[in-house]
């Protein structure tokens, strides 16, 4: 018996050029690690027993109505164009329309090789699966658009990376898996009819009010501008903002070497493969603009009047930095308790961030502590905070409910890198207690929970995570 999932698969009805039909490759001994019952209810999935869940979300049992496929796309990776990528270790089972009326993909990640695997094994090991489960669900709880985790399953098989690792499969849910790179592959190949079909599909699925390719470009720009500003506001660093990891739906996707900052510095990089700092924390807005420009270049290829299209697309893309800055400002104003706008606000926020960087202040804890007498304790030199706070307190005199505004904008808990690494180390030894604890606490990130105060502590010197890895 297999799980009942109400599939309605629109992507599978597109031409064969968009994907390769591919079933997941069964695994030896699937064991369920986690199942997201709240998300399942949203997807209108009838719950099954543990055995059914493990078999289904390992890829051993294909639910009725599923049409498994691996999607085609290309993309710029660290600025260099790769003409063909595609789902090399993932299979889209199909789509459901949830109880909220939203269509979403259900994808198995780590489900075996596909025609796009480029000689990889198509598998994932336990660490990255648990990292994506925890961080994506934490992002959802923070109110940031993101793919989500429906299930995690051990495979009972060994995956070879830097050594033998326990294998696992993640079930990922997304509003779609359309990427900037999905458009790039057809544009680069000169397959204009496929590009038109994809554009129409994306508009119908995500932005029904958009008019034509430039309307789609404008909608994606706006969604990305909101998304990146939200990342910046919680100190999130994606780590690998390639165009194949840039969602047209405006969701955070592909949690490979992702990380949240501990002590604040604008040039912070964690990703082990980002040696030049292309995707450093402070570079993320500029990279988002660059990615949207690549989408514009692809979309233009289907336009009859290319000169006019270039002019319009240029105007749309050039407006993005100001849009990003406005979104960023609104979020950081809230983080310091402001709901109104004054000319001096930008300088006030920038001054705080400079002082935080100079004093190695913890990003999350400093903002959460604003409005108490503990914020200054985050600074090596507390006088540096005091020098800023005088002007800030004067500014707050014009606000009605600054403390409530700050508490709604500044989380208590984030998935700190050292806690995620400790969770993975425990899970590899068969102990999932830290994994379940993180999911529980991070599910309510704005709630003060003194009994879990240890999860707010920055890493000791020996606990600092120097680099994060894609690892799957």
């Amino acid at each position: 018996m297999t799980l009942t999932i109400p599939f309605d698969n629109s992507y599978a009805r597109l031409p064969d050029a968009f994907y390769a039909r591919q079933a997941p490759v069964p695994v030896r001994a699937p064991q369920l690690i986690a199942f997201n019952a709240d998300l399942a209810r949203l997807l209108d999935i009838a719950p099954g027993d543990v055995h059914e869940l493990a078999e289904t979300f390992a890829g051993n049992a294909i639910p009725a109505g599923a049409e498994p496929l691996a999607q085609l796309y290309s993309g710029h990776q660290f600025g260099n164009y790769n003409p063909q990528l595609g789902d090399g270790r993932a299979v889209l089972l199909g789509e459901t329309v949830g109880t909220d009326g939203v269509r979403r993909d259900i994808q198995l990640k780590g489900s075996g090789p596909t025609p796009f695997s480029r000689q990889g094994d198509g598998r994932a090991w336990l660490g990255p699966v648990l990292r994506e489960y925890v961080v994506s669900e934490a992002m959802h709880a923070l109110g940031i658009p993101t793919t989500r985790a429906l299930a995690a399953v051990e495979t009972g098989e060994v995956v070879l990376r830097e050594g033998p690792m326990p294998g696992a499969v993640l079930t990922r849910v997304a509003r779609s898996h359309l990427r900037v790179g999905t458009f790039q592959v057809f544009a680069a190949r000169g397959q204009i009819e496929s590009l038109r079909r994809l554009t129409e599909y994306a508009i119908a699925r995500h932005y029904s009010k958009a008019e034509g390719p430039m309307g789609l470009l404008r909608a994606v720009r706006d969604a990305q501008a909101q998304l990146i500003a939200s990342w910046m506001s919680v100190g999130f660093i994606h780590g690998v903002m390639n165009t194949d990891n840039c969602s047209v739906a405006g969701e955070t996707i592909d949690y490979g070497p992702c990380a949240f900052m501990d002590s604040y510095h604008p040039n912070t990089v964690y990703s082990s493969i980002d040696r030049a700092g292309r995707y450093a924390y402070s570079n993320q807005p500029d990279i988002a603009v660059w990615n949207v420009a690549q989408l514009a270049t692809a979309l233009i290829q289907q336009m009859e009047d290319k000169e006019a299209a270039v002019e319009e697309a240029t105007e749309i893309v050039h407006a993005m930095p100001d849009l990003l800055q406005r979104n960023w400002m609104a979020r950081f104003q809230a983080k310091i308790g402001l709901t109104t706008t004054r000319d001096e606000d930008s300088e006030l926020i920038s001054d705080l961030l400079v002082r935080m960087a100079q004093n190695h202040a913890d990003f999350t804890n400093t903002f959460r502590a604003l409005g108490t007498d503990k914020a200054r304790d985050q600074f090596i030199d507390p006088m540096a905070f005091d020098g800023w706070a005088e002007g800030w307190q004067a500014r707050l005199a014009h606000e009605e409910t600054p403390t409530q505004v700050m508490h709604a904008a500044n989380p208590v808990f984030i998935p700190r890198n050292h806690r995620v690494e400790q969770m993975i180390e425990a899970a590899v030894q068969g102990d999932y207690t830290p994994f379940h604890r993180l999911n529980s606490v991070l599910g309510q990130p704005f709630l003060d929970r003194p009994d879990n105060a240890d999860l707010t502590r920055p890493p000791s010197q020996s606990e600092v995570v120097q680099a994060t890895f894609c690892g799957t």
Side-chain angles (χ1 to χ4, degrees), residues 75-318:
H76 280 87
Q77 299 183 306
F78 290 89
N80 300 307
Y81 184 67
N82 189 324
Q84 181 171 301
L85 296 169
D87 291 331
R89 54 174 170 258
V91 166
L92 175 64
L93 286 181
E95 305 156 30
T96 66
V97 178
T99 57
D100 58 355
V102 176
R103 178 179 296 274
R104 295 179 178 87
D105 288 353
I106 300 178
Q107 182 195 69
L108 300 184
K109 190 174 181 182
S111 54
T114 78
F116 309 122
S117 293
R118 304 182 296 284
Q119 301 184 349
D121 62 12
R123 293 302 189 186
W125 78 273
L126 182 63
V129 166
L130 297 185
R131 176 187 292 273
E132 180 158 348
Y133 194 111
V134 167
V135 179
S136 64
E137 284 303 296
M139 290 285 270
H140 172 71
L142 287 166
I144 297 173
T146 179
T147 61
R148 297 192 62 189
L150 178 59
V153 177
E154 285 187 72
T155 64
E157 299 177 350
V158 171
V159 174
L160 294 177
R161 294 298 180 258
E162 62 269 22
M165 303 288 189
V169 177
L170 175 78
T171 303
R172 180 164 70 183
V173 173
R175 287 186 58 221
S176 83
H177 284 83
L178 297 180
R179 310 153 187 268
V180 170
T182 316
F183 292 81
Q184 288 182 287
V185 69
F186 296 122
R189 293 178 177 183
Q191 297 174 346
I192 302 306
E193 185 53 40
S194 292
L195 182 61
R196 288 196 181 101
R197 186 75 178 269
L198 178 64
T199 301
E200 292 168 358
Y201 177 82
I203 290 171
R205 182 160 180 176
H206 293 304
Y207 305 108
S208 59
K209 295 182 180 179
E211 296 184 4
M214 293 300 100
L216 175 62
L217 178 64
R218 188 174 284 105
V220 173
R221 176 203 65 185
D222 292 352
Q224 283 291 319
Q226 287 279 4
L227 177 65
I228 304 308
S230 68
W231 289 359
M232 304 295 282
S233 73
V234 294
F236 177 75
I237 305 167
H238 185 277
V240 61
M241 289 177 66
N242 298 331
T243 57
D244 57 293
N245 294 336
C246 181
S247 166
V248 170
E251 292 184 320
T252 314
I253 190 170
D254 290 327
Y255 291 90
C258 66
F260 284 76
M261 276 194 298
D262 292 305
S263 61
Y264 171 75
H265 195 284
N267 297 332
T268 300
V269 177
Y270 287 101
S271 172
S272 63
I273 57 176
D274 191 7
R275 296 180 181 90
R278 176 182 173 88
Y279 300 140
Y281 171 78
S282 61
N283 288 346
Q284 292 181 133
D286 289 342
I287 292 297
V289 176
W290 194 89
N291 286 346
V292 170
Q294 308 318 305
L295 176 61
T297 300
L299 289 171
I300 285 168
Q301 306 311 310
Q302 66 192 287
M303 307 290 282
E304 292 186 8
D305 187 345
K306 288 189 171 50
E307 184 175 344
V310 168
E311 184 177 348
E312 184 176 4
T314 300
E315 180 182 344
I316 292 169
V317 174
H318 282 187

Side-chain angles (χ1 to χ4, degrees), residues 246-463:
C246 181
S247 166
V248 170
E251 292 184 320
T252 314
I253 190 170
D254 290 327
Y255 291 90
C258 66
F260 284 76
M261 276 194 298
D262 292 305
S263 61
Y264 171 75
H265 195 284
N267 297 332
T268 300
V269 177
Y270 287 101
S271 172
S272 63
I273 57 176
D274 191 7
R275 296 180 181 90
R278 176 182 173 88
Y279 300 140
Y281 171 78
S282 61
N283 288 346
Q284 292 181 133
D286 289 342
I287 292 297
V289 176
W290 194 89
N291 286 346
V292 170
Q294 308 318 305
L295 176 61
T297 300
L299 289 171
I300 285 168
Q301 306 311 310
Q302 66 192 287
M303 307 290 282
E304 292 186 8
D305 187 345
K306 288 189 171 50
E307 184 175 344
V310 168
E311 184 177 348
E312 184 176 4
T314 300
E315 180 182 344
I316 292 169
V317 174
H318 282 187
M320 190 173 177
D322 285 344
L323 182 60
L324 271 159
Q325 178 61 24
R326 290 198 299 272
N327 290 334
W328 182 93
M329 180 59 67
R331 288 184 176 274
F332 275 82
Q333 282 177 307
K335 289 180 76 65
I336 65 170
L338 307 181
T339 58
T340 61
T341 299
R342 294 193 168 212
D343 292 341
E344 65 267 26
D345 291 349
S346 178
E347 184 177 349
L348 186 65
I349 295 167
S350 296
D351 185 28
L352 174 60
L353 292 172
V354 168
R355 291 168 188 252
M356 287 171 62
Q358 292 170 342
N359 285 268
H360 304 284
D362 185 86
F363 184 89
T364 300
N365 289 350
T366 298
F367 280 107
R368 183 66 186 190
L370 289 179
T372 74
D373 58 2
K374 295 181 180 179
R376 66 194 308 270
D377 297 342
Q378 299 294 325
F379 290 69
I380 294 173
D381 176 12
M383 296 294 290
F385 175 77
D386 296 341
W388 174 81
E390 184 177 352
W392 173 58
Q393 291 291 348
R395 176 68 180 85
L396 287 187
H398 303 281
E399 297 291 330
E400 293 183 359
T401 57
T403 301
Q404 293 93 316
V405 171
M406 285 187 284
H407 280 190
N410 297 317
V412 181
F413 299 100
I414 56 166
R416 291 185 179 270
N417 303 322
H418 65 298
R419 292 302 191 188
V420 172
E421 291 300 322
Q422 291 165 4
M423 173 270 292
I424 291 171
E425 291 173 7
V428 168
Q429 300 302 317
D431 179 8
Y432 285 102
T433 303
F435 168 75
H436 292 299
R437 183 187 180 212
L438 278 181
N439 282 318
S440 174
V441 174
L442 294 171
Q444 296 178 301
F446 298 95
L447 179 65
D448 282 306
R449 298 173 68 169
D451 54 330
N452 290 286
D454 59 303
L455 296 182
T456 70
R457 180 179 59 78
S460 65
Q461 188 170 356
S462 64
E463 294 173 325

Side-chain angles (χ1 to χ4, degrees), residues 7-9 12-13 21-22 62-63 65-69 91-94:
F7 285 111
D8 177 31
N9 306 322
R13 295 194 285 270
R21 300 281 181 181
Q22 175 67 55
I62 308 301
E67 298 180 77
L69 57 86
V91 166
L92 175 64
L93 286 181

